């Protein structure tokens, strides 16, 4: 996911698909109401992440991966990573209506 910002607020989100060693354009959407799309905001994600006891030496990016934690390509999740190859995720759980930190993402189960 690549977000394009205006005055620090995402206004367009693009998805790039990487397969083998090739990057391809996947989709793009202009955001009318950013707060309804990107939940939590980066500030909210950082606060919950640091409140869980993680230090501030983590880098972060907005991603979408086919999993139960990201309901749609346009409802991404924050990925936090550090120099020793640890990865954590922060996203908004719509069922619990709260921001949560995940150690790993759960693959989506098949329909039916």
């Amino acid at each position: 996911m690549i977000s394009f910002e205006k005055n620090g607020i995402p206004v367009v989100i693009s998805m790039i698909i990487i397969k083998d060693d090739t990057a391809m354009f996947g989709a793009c959407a202009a955001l009318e109401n950013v707060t309804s799309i990107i939940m939590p905001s980066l500030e909210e994600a950082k606060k919950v992440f640091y409140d869980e006891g993680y230090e501030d030496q983590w880098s972060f990016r907005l991603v979408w991966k086919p999993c139960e934690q990201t309901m749609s390509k346009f409802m991404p999740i924050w990925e936090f990573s550090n120099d020793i190859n640890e990865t954590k995720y922060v996203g908004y759980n719509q069922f619990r209506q709260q921001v949560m930190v995940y150690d790993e993402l759960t693959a989506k189960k098949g329909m039916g």
Side-chain angles (χ1 to χ4, degrees), residues 26-94:
C28 184
L31 309 177
E32 292 180 26
N33 183 354
V34 175
T35 57
S36 68
I37 302 286
I38 300 177
M39 291 179 60
S41 68
L42 177 56
E43 291 76 23
E44 292 170 317
K46 284 181 177 180
K47 180 183 181 329
V48 170
F49 190 71
Y50 298 142
D51 286 351
E52 288 283 321
Y54 295 100
E55 302 293 325
D56 62 355
Q57 68 263 15
W58 294 71
S59 59
F60 47 85
R61 65 184 183 146
L62 199 56
V63 300
W64 178 78
K65 297 180 179 189
C67 65
E68 291 183 7
Q69 289 81 6
T70 58
M71 302 297 229
S72 137
K73 294 177 184 177
F74 297 104
M75 295 177 72
I77 194 164
W78 293 100
E79 179 183 81
F80 286 74
S81 58
N82 62 19
D83 293 339
I84 58 172
N85 295 322
E86 290 178 303
T87 304
K88 305 290 180 189
Y89 301 91
V90 180
Y92 183 76
N93 183 309
Q94 293 183 340

Side-chain angles (χ1 to χ4, degrees), residues 3 13 24 28 43 45 54 75 102 109:
S3 63
I13 293 198
M24 299 176 288
C28 184
E43 291 76 23
Y54 295 100
M75 295 177 72
Y102 302 98
K109 297 179 177 119

